Amino acid sequence: MDVQKHSVHTLVFRSLKRTHDMFVSDHAKSVALDEERNPSEGGVHSMALALPPSQARHDTSRTGASVSDIHRHAGGAERSHAHSTSLMEGGGTRNSALTRKAPTMPKPQWHPPWKLFRVISGHLGWVRSIAVEPGNQWFVTGSADRTIKIWDLASGKLKLSLTGHISTVRGVAVSSRSPYLFSCGEDKQVKCWDLEYNKVIRHYHGHLSAVYDLDLHPTIDVLVTCSRDATARVWDIRTKANVHTLTGHTNTVATVRCQAAEPQIITGSHDSTIRLWDLIAGKTRVTLTNHKKSVRTLVLHPRQYTFASGSADNIKQWMFPDGNFIQNLSGHNAIINTLAVNSDGVLVSGADNGTIHMWDWRTGYNFQRIHAAVQPGSLDSESGIFACLFDHSESRLITAEADKTIKVYKEDDTATEESHPINWKPEILKRKRF
Amino acid sequence: MALRIFLPAPTQLSQDQLEAEERLRVQKSYSTALVSSHREPPPYGHRKGWVPRSLEDFADGGAFPEIHVAQFPLEMGRRKKTSNALAVQVDAEGKIKYDAIARQGQGKDKVVFSKYTDLLPKEVLNEDTPELQKPDEEAVKELTEKTRLALEKQVSQKIAAAMPVRAADKQAPAQYIRYTPSQQGVAFNSGAKQRVIRMVEMQKDPMEPPRFKINKKIPRGPPSPPAPVMHSPSRKMTVKEQQEWKIPPCISNWKNAKGYTIPLDKRLAADGRGLQTVHINENFAKLAEALYIADRKAREAVEMRAQVEKKMAQKEKEKKEEKLRELAQMARDRRAGIKSHGDKGGEDSEARERDEIRHDRRKERQHDRNISRAAPDKRSKLQRDQERDISELIALGMPNPRSSSEAQYDQRLFNQNKGMDSGFAGGEDETYNVYDQPFRSGRDMASNIYRPSKNIDKDAYADDLDTIMRTRFAPGKEFSGADHGQRRDGPVQFEEDPFGLDKFLEEAKQHGASKRPSTSSRSKDDYHDKKRRKE
């Protein structure tokens, strides 16, 4: 963690302000009660008194002398906690007039840290892509050794190897509506494999250059692929016809995502723009130019109507349907190759230098950084993450790495809020003036 | 008007009043000026017959509706040549819409982010806010259906073009439409109020080829205007950062197309030498040790052998010296007249000695003949020295033609032609005038310079090269003018003894037994001694 250099004055002021902002609008706490009992003490002090003990402990560790002094003076923390529930309503009505309408500082949700629990090796080249079967029994990986391997999710054993691509396999997807596996590679081929016969049954011909990513529409039988020729193409699965060619990007389209709601196709490109497309017309709805560097990855939140994009400068969160910017998640200063999101609100970003950062989706709090060691036999520079994915139960994180292994992570069950406390130091933003 | 009198004077005048005051002031200045520079339009009501002709006639205002002439105040409204200037637009609050240019070719509903507020992060929202919720199932289903139909239509169009020709499809049955025209009257529609129209879809000929040519290439239309860039411009690169990203040129170990000469350290720069740790096998050290030991042992052996040989040689030498000493003693004894052995033995020994001498001399003569026959190039020492190169002679230190003890004068001093002030050459450094004469001026130069003549063969073989080449040497055949001596004892034929040396020698042998010391022996001895001394 880099330590920012500030003067002591700035640091103390900021920590005080943080605490103040966090707890100034705690309506649940019985602020008015304390004022009645101890009218001598100022309003600010009494507000600080009415804290539940655990949070107070956090405060003392962070803010220093001033708050602890107040706490010692009062000594009534237990009392306030016991009474807080019964006097909640009363406190609320009395407080509404007293408390300022200050914007609430968000508190990040606690997530248990993730740890590595399995390393699967078997590929002979970088592992570039992963997809998990809808029934959560097995997962597929595509690699630079031109093969597609199917692994058992529970045990990590290899079930099947499929060959047919002539160059690196860059994207794999398993259809939930039919027993098909789709793969695309740097050899301009997009293949449809029938999993009952383990054979290629269709080719989608039309891309002019390497195909970097593909995605399936959840409700319509349509496949979208994106390529180095700056286009994304929409294919009808059954007839192999190229329904739409989505042009507009000026550089390689690196990533594409499909969803059932509007906008149905989102693409991110190396010209640092993200485009939201109208699938019916085959035209761009919105162009988002906020990124400064190539956008290599996109992820759609499973429950919310939001998405996140990852690039070498920042990870940005956006709202649908117009792509309104929500916030930046900054701190992962590396080329971000992949993002994945959990229903619990855990966002994982995997970078080209092998580091994984875990974020809380809502607040943007980075609660964990992992840099797994490379497989023995690999150089240290051969660490990089090309794809990461949560399985359908959202309890396992599978990453595809540059040291030719697949690493599986799971949540650490022994960790608690106390053992891994939240160390949330947000930047003090200038609030809404506009 | 009456109210204005009662109210106090306004402290802050409105815009209109200020303008009115300005005008009054201007009008007042009119009267003082000699020539009025402004030309204002006549006030309302007095404009009959007046036509604004120039821009100044409008004077801030607009067109005059009562003057029925085409007017273009501020040049507005004229049919200008095509200009792509966008008119300034104002939004509902009265602020100018600066992003009109970003929305130029698009519908007004298109989402374009162009304001600063669009790139500020929003407040962290609670999970339950309605903005973050996905649209409900029904809306999604509807959208899906719509999309699916649209895509199917597209796909079927694309496929139909490739499908084979089939029979003409059945048209939909005829539709009847009741139409009420707007123009009604007895004359139109022969009095009827309404008409019934039968509408039928026109048949498509299944065998018809495509009607339009689609192979023509036309340039693409202009793209939609680029989206405004919603981030700060990239930071300037410092020199240090630029240096960090410098990539050294690639120097291949195999190819060198332009044939550059590249220093060795650059050639090996990318070799990865610094990254490996060099592991040397121990056996190299062992080998070196073993070689060292073997070398030492060999040297010791050689030394010992040399010593042994030296000792042997010394012993030999001593023996030889002993022998020589004995011989010398014997000679001395004989000279002194002392007989070392008995008489007979003495005469025999003398004869033996003479035989030995003769043998030795014959051997020497044969040796010389052999050398001259075998290596005719091996010249005598004198000849060899004569033919040496100057540098060799100098190296050997042999010649020094002027190694006389008397003083030597530089011959340039005795220069006859030039006067006294010749010889210094004005202080020039470049002239090489250390020596006055060449070293061996031409004495041997001519002979040292080998000039093969055109008729080498003639020099070597005289004129009958051809005859020589053809005729073979026949040892039995004699020369034309030679004696026909049949007797052949050896390669050289000896004639009859002219001087009687053989007889003399034979006599000497015979008389060797009977000693005649005074004349023969002494003469023989003298002869022998002289011979010996000579040699």
Side-chain angles (χ1 to χ4, degrees):
Chain A
M1 295 262 223
D2 309 338
V3 178
Q4 272 208 311
K5 292 186 176 58
H6 290 296
S7 68
V8 176
H9 172 78
T10 319
L11 288 168
V12 169
F13 168 73
R14 283 192 180 186
S15 65
L16 279 176
K17 187 160 179 4
R18 242 180 257 132
T19 356
H20 174 73
D21 285 342
M22 268 206 210
F23 302 110
V24 71
S25 334
D26 270 345
H27 303 283
K29 312 298 174 268
S30 54
V31 176
L33 188 66
D34 280 27
E35 271 192 330
E36 282 174 19
R37 286 201 191 162
N38 310 317
S40 57
E41 291 174 332
V44 182
H45 295 300
S46 58
M47 268 193 270
L49 274 177
L51 307 170
S54 58
Q55 278 170 334
R57 227 182 292 139
H58 280 290
D59 276 344
T60 50
S61 64
R62 263 187 269 141
T63 59
S66 47
V67 177
S68 55
D69 283 338
I70 299 160
H71 192 69
R72 253 183 277 124
H73 281 303
E78 305 286 341
R79 249 182 301 138
S80 58
H81 189 72
H83 286 283
S84 60
T85 46
S86 54
L87 292 159
M88 221 192 316
E89 287 107 294
T93 50
R94 247 172 288 174
N95 283 340
S96 52
L98 293 163
T99 53
R100 269 173 281 138
K101 285 207 185 106
T104 50
M105 182 80 104
K107 280 168 248 178
Q109 184 194 349
W110 183 82
H111 302 283
W114 292 71
K115 65 174 185 0
L116 175 66
F117 96 104
R118 187 177 284 148
V119 174
I120 302 169
S121 56
H123 271 297
L124 301 173
W126 293 349
V127 188
R128 297 305 302 249
S129 53
I130 312 178
V132 179
E133 187 245 342
N136 222 24
Q137 294 299 311
W138 43 266
F139 65 96
V140 197
T141 54
S143 157
D145 64 359
R146 313 182 307 270
T147 59
I148 300 165
K149 288 192 197 270
I150 300 182
W151 311 81
D152 184 51
L153 187 60
S155 59
K157 300 251 182 313
L158 177 64
K159 289 175 77 169
L160 191 60
S161 246
L162 298 169
T163 53
H165 274 284
I166 9 184
S167 190
T168 307
V169 180
R170 288 298 286 256
V172 278
V174 185
S175 169
S176 50
R177 294 152 63 81
S178 29
Y180 293 151
L181 163 70
F182 295 88
S183 66
C184 68
E186 285 182 4
D187 46 7
K188 312 179 205 167
Q189 291 173 351
V190 182
K191 291 182 192 277
C192 174
W193 304 76
D194 188 331
L195 289 169
E196 285 161 10
Y197 298 101
N198 295 338
K199 276 182 161 22
V200 179
I201 49 169
R202 290 188 192 102
H203 279 100
Y204 299 92
H205 177 79
H207 271 298
L208 305 171
S209 192
V211 188
Y212 277 11
D213 199 6
L214 82 170
D215 201 12
L216 288 158
H217 197 286
T219 47
I220 309 174
D221 278 335
V222 138
L223 167 72
V224 185
T225 57
C226 68
S227 153
R228 204 170 65 110
D229 59 1
T231 62
R233 283 169 199 259
V234 180
W235 310 90
D236 180 57
I237 287 179
R238 190 185 56 86
T239 58
K240 303 175 273 189
N242 180 6
V243 181
H244 284 305
T245 306
L246 309 175
T247 54
H249 278 297
T250 54
N251 205 334
T252 305
V253 187
T255 175
V256 70
R257 291 286 176 270
C258 269
Q259 60 169 357
E262 274 289 346
Q264 300 194 48
I265 301 178
I266 307 109
T267 54
S269 159
H270 281 348
D271 60 2
S272 19
T273 59
I274 302 165
R275 280 174 188 253
L276 312 181
W277 301 84
D278 176 9
L279 178 54
I280 301 169
K283 290 198 168 23
T284 308
R285 279 187 73 231
V286 189
T287 309
L288 306 171
T289 54
N290 291 42
H291 279 291
K292 278 192 195 174
K293 303 265 176 78
S294 319
V295 179
R296 286 200 181 193
T297 174
L298 290 170
V299 70
L300 312 178
H301 196 284
R303 288 181 295 118
Q304 279 182 17
Y305 202 28
T306 52
F307 74 104
S309 60
S311 143
D313 54 346
N314 264 327
I315 303 168
K316 290 181 193 276
Q317 280 180 4
W318 316 79
M319 258 193 325
F320 282 133
D322 287 332
N324 300 304
F325 176 56
I326 299 177
Q327 64 169 340
N328 264 339
L329 302 176
S330 49
H332 199 170
N333 302 323
I335 299 172
I336 293 171
N337 271 336
T338 174
L339 291 172
V341 123
N342 211 344
S343 295
D344 299 333
V346 175
L347 169 72
V348 181
S349 60
D352 218 23
N353 59 3
T355 54
I356 299 176
H357 279 44
M358 314 289 235
W359 313 78
D360 175 50
W361 176 275
R362 197 176 72 91
T363 53
Y365 166 54
N366 176 11
F367 67 86
Q368 196 188 4
R369 297 182 184 191
I370 311 173
H371 189 165
V374 284
Q375 188 183 199
S378 297
L379 299 176
D380 277 333
S381 57
E382 282 175 349
S383 72
I385 300 180
F386 290 121
C388 69
L389 195 54
F390 282 104
D391 71 329
H392 289 296
S393 70
E394 315 222 304
S395 56
R396 298 282 181 269
L397 171 69
I398 313 169
T399 58
E401 300 216 2
D403 63 349
K404 309 178 191 141
T405 57
I406 302 153
K407 294 195 166 73
V408 187
Y409 294 82
K410 70 173 180 193
E411 285 176 334
D412 192 358
D413 300 321
T414 57
T416 59
E417 270 204 59
E418 274 78 42
S419 64
H420 291 80
I422 295 175
N423 190 6
W424 178 221
K425 278 198 175 58
E427 285 302 310
I428 296 182
L429 302 163
K430 296 196 175 68
R431 293 311 154 111
K432 271 187 184 175
R433 269 200 229 145
F434 307 92
Chain B
M1 283 200 209
L3 194 57
R4 221 192 323 136
I5 300 163
F6 298 132
L7 291 171
T11 47
Q12 290 181 0
L13 295 171
S14 74
Q15 190 70 10
D16 301 328
Q17 284 173 318
L18 284 166
E19 278 176 3
E21 284 194 13
E22 260 277 340
R23 234 174 276 128
L24 278 170
R25 223 179 299 131
V26 163
Q27 275 182 354
K28 278 192 197 127
S29 67
Y30 255 145
S31 48
T32 54
L34 291 168
V35 181
S36 57
S37 51
H38 301 275
R39 241 185 303 140
E40 282 208 352
Y44 182 61
H46 305 279
R47 288 175 189 157
K48 193 173 164 97
W50 180 79
V51 171
R53 297 246 180 256
S54 66
L55 269 180
E56 291 150 352
D57 288 340
F58 293 105
D60 271 21
F64 299 99
E66 65 270 27
I67 303 170
H68 299 170
V69 162
Q71 298 160 55
F72 302 101
L74 298 176
E75 293 299 310
M76 288 189 292
R78 276 198 207 274
R79 280 202 106 203
K80 275 192 209 97
K81 279 168 256 169
T82 50
S83 99
N84 56 359
L86 201 58
V88 169
Q89 294 165 21
V90 179
D91 67 355
E93 293 165 27
K95 296 192 206 133
I96 297 176
K97 274 201 274 185
Y98 290 109
D99 60 350
I101 199 162
R103 294 172 185 276
Q104 200 173 13
Q106 294 142 20
K108 52 183 163 28
D109 297 333
K110 177 134 197 263
V111 175
V112 173
F113 295 111
S114 48
K115 296 197 287 300
Y116 176 60
T117 52
D118 292 330
L119 67 85
L120 289 177
K122 291 197 189 25
E123 234 184 69
V124 172
L125 299 162
N126 210 355
E127 294 224 341
D128 303 330
T129 52
E131 298 164 324
L132 297 182
Q133 300 313 310
K134 288 202 168 167
D136 57 334
E137 292 278 329
E138 297 217 356
V140 170
K141 263 203 199 128
E142 216 187 282
L143 177 65
T144 305
E145 205 37 51
K146 207 168 80 165
T147 321
R148 198 179 59 79
L149 288 169
L151 292 179
E152 264 204 41
K153 194 157 147 265
Q154 282 262 330
V155 168
S156 58
Q157 272 177 7
K158 287 203 193 236
I159 292 176
M163 281 206 290
V165 175
R166 293 206 189 117
D169 4 303
K170 277 252 156 77
Q171 305 302 330
Q175 281 186 334
Y176 294 93
I177 301 170
R178 191 185 297 279
Y179 170 57
T180 317
S182 53
Q183 282 198 322
Q184 301 208 340
V186 183
F188 307 104
N189 206 6
S190 43
K193 298 290 175 200
Q194 286 178 327
R195 272 188 232 171
V196 174
I197 298 169
R198 178 171 176 267
M199 201 158 76
V200 173
E201 237 184 84
M202 190 160 124
Q203 267 192 329
K204 183 179 181 299
D205 178 7
M207 298 295 292
E208 188 196 30
R211 280 185 205 148
F212 310 105
K213 279 198 183 159
I214 50 177
N215 60 348
K216 283 207 174 40
K217 292 203 168 93
I218 53 164
R220 244 180 284 172
S224 57
V229 171
M230 301 296 282
H231 57 76
S232 56
S234 340
R235 281 180 212 108
K236 259 195 236 166
M237 190 157 281
T238 57
V239 177
K240 191 160 96 69
E241 216 187 313
Q242 207 164 33
Q243 300 288 336
E244 276 171 20
W245 283 92
K246 261 207 176 140
I247 300 169
C250 171
I251 300 171
S252 167
N253 283 342
W254 292 270
K255 292 199 195 292
N256 188 2
K258 302 228 180 106
Y260 290 138
T261 307
I262 296 174
L264 284 170
D265 58 329
K266 305 283 189 299
R267 283 240 177 250
L268 303 173
D271 221 9
R273 272 145 204 269
L275 302 172
Q276 306 161 338
T277 48
V278 184
H279 300 287
I280 303 179
N281 207 341
E282 308 169 341
N283 296 337
F284 281 111
K286 287 188 192 156
L287 176 66
E289 276 283 322
L291 283 171
Y292 179 60
I293 291 167
D295 180 55
R296 210 154 21 107
K297 289 233 168 65
R299 269 187 219 285
E300 282 170 16
V302 164
E303 255 197 64
M304 272 207 310
R305 213 180 303 134
Q307 275 182 1
V308 163
E309 274 195 29
K310 227 199 289 178
K311 278 190 197 135
M312 300 277 289
Q314 255 198 350
K315 278 193 201 136
E316 291 271 333
K317 217 180 172 187
E318 274 171 21
K319 268 191 221 154
K320 276 201 183 128
E321 268 182 26
E322 274 293 318
K323 245 195 192 169
L324 283 173
R325 242 181 263 139
E326 273 177 36
L327 284 171
Q329 188 70 20
M330 272 183 17
R332 248 180 275 133
D333 291 341
R334 221 179 291 124
R335 224 186 295 145
I338 300 165
K339 289 192 197 121
S340 43
H341 310 291
D343 286 0
K344 265 205 177 171
E347 284 177 343
D348 281 337
S349 68
E350 283 178 16
R352 235 182 294 128
E353 281 173 25
R354 266 176 264 132
D355 280 335
E356 279 180 27
I357 290 163
R358 244 173 265 138
H359 187 76
D360 288 336
R361 281 201 200 124
R362 200 186 304 143
K363 271 272 159 64
E364 280 171 35
R365 259 177 265 134
Q366 278 182 347
H367 183 64
D368 284 334
R369 226 180 295 135
N370 284 341
I371 282 173
S372 60
R373 209 187 299 145
D377 300 327
K378 241 191 182 174
R379 298 177 185 91
S380 63
K381 210 171 197 173
L382 195 58
Q383 266 189 316
R384 242 185 289 142
D385 278 345
Q386 275 181 349
E387 307 249 337
R388 271 189 207 275
D389 194 33
I390 280 188
S391 48
E392 290 179 26
L393 292 171
I394 293 168
L396 290 169
M398 290 203 262
N400 202 351
R402 280 182 272 166
S403 54
S404 49
S405 51
E406 52 179 272
Q408 296 169 11
Y409 293 99
D410 192 339
Q411 293 304 313
R412 287 172 286 185
L413 293 173
F414 304 132
N415 200 327
Q416 282 85 26
N417 301 347
K418 300 185 193 161
M420 201 184 70
D421 50 0
S422 71
F424 184 53
E428 255 212 47
D429 304 28
E430 304 297 318
T431 55
Y432 184 61
N433 53 3
V434 178
Y435 302 105
D436 57 339
Q437 294 172 17
F439 180 50
R440 293 160 90 181
S441 46
R443 179 159 52 96
D444 295 5
M445 284 307 142
S447 62
N448 280 356
I449 297 168
Y450 169 64
R451 268 206 204 91
S453 56
K454 266 189 205 166
N455 19 359
I456 287 174
D457 297 334
K458 266 201 183 160
D459 285 343
Y461 301 105
D463 290 310
D464 9 28
L465 175 62
D466 297 319
T467 48
I468 291 172
M469 275 204 299
R470 272 182 243 122
T471 54
R472 278 185 171 211
F473 172 63
K477 202 162 151 230
E478 305 145 348
F479 291 122
S480 40
D483 294 315
H484 299 274
Q486 303 296 330
R487 200 166 56 91
R488 263 203 175 258
D489 281 344
V492 179
Q493 287 280 70
F494 285 106
E495 284 185 356
E496 291 269 334
D497 187 22
F499 300 112
L501 272 171
D502 283 336
K503 227 202 269 174
F504 173 64
L505 288 168
E506 278 187 34
E507 276 177 1
K509 272 192 198 151
Q510 282 167 6
H511 290 304
S514 62
K515 191 77 164 116
R516 271 213 220 141
S518 52
T519 50
S520 54
S521 64
R522 209 181 286 134
S523 64
K524 262 189 261 160
D525 281 336
D526 285 332
Y527 179 73
H528 288 318
D529 286 338
K530 274 189 202 144
K531 261 272 180 186
R532 240 182 242 140
R533 243 179 273 130
K534 215 179 183 185
E535 284 155 341

